[in-house]
Amino acid sequence: QVQLVESGGGLVQAGGSLRLACAASGRTFSSSAMGWFRQAPGKKREFVAAIGWGGVRINYAETVKGRFTISRDNAKNTVYLQMNSLKPEDTAVYYCAATYASSGYAYTNDNEYDYWGQGTQVTVSS
């Protein structure tokens, strides 16, 4: 069974930065594609960023492109989301997700992912 544990959330002022981490266990991390999603109160869960198992294929939502950076360290079984120039509209619970599909694609649809973390709250004050 795969376990994903997010960390790094918190309260930050607009324009600030946070770095989220998601530690994975239970299966070979280097074989997984990883994604970050977020859900704000009263809104549907939305895609943020994803990275393929090789670390080459990466996708970002248009709303975070140029501000957020996804990366992975297969030696540490961890995926990161560096968030810069944060805006109040980035406030949400952030979830990491994993899939072991055979392709190295960076999946953007949440229905492609099989495993989810418990989420970490990010709050950006104006």
Side-chain angles (χ1 to χ4, degrees), residues 5-18:
V5 179
E6 300 100 334
S7 61
L11 173 64
V12 64
Q13 289 187 333
S17 298
L18 283 175

Side-chain angles (χ1 to χ4, degrees), residues 68-125:
F68 291 10
T69 302
I70 189 171
S71 62
R72 65 189 298 157
D73 185 338
N74 287 345
K76 295 183 178 180
N77 292 348
T78 301
V79 63
Y80 302 96
L81 185 68
Q82 177 67 43
M83 305 186 295
N84 299 329
S85 302
L86 283 161
K87 304 175 181 180
E89 51 264 43
D90 294 318
T91 296
V93 177
Y94 283 70
Y95 299 91
C96 74
T99 177
Y100 290 84
S102 58
S103 168
Y105 184 70
Y107 298 97
T108 61
N109 291 322
D110 59 1
N111 60 11
E112 298 283 0
Y113 291 86
D114 303 306
Y115 304 96
W116 292 83
Q118 82 289 348
T120 186
Q121 177 70 47
V122 171
T123 303
V124 184
S125 62

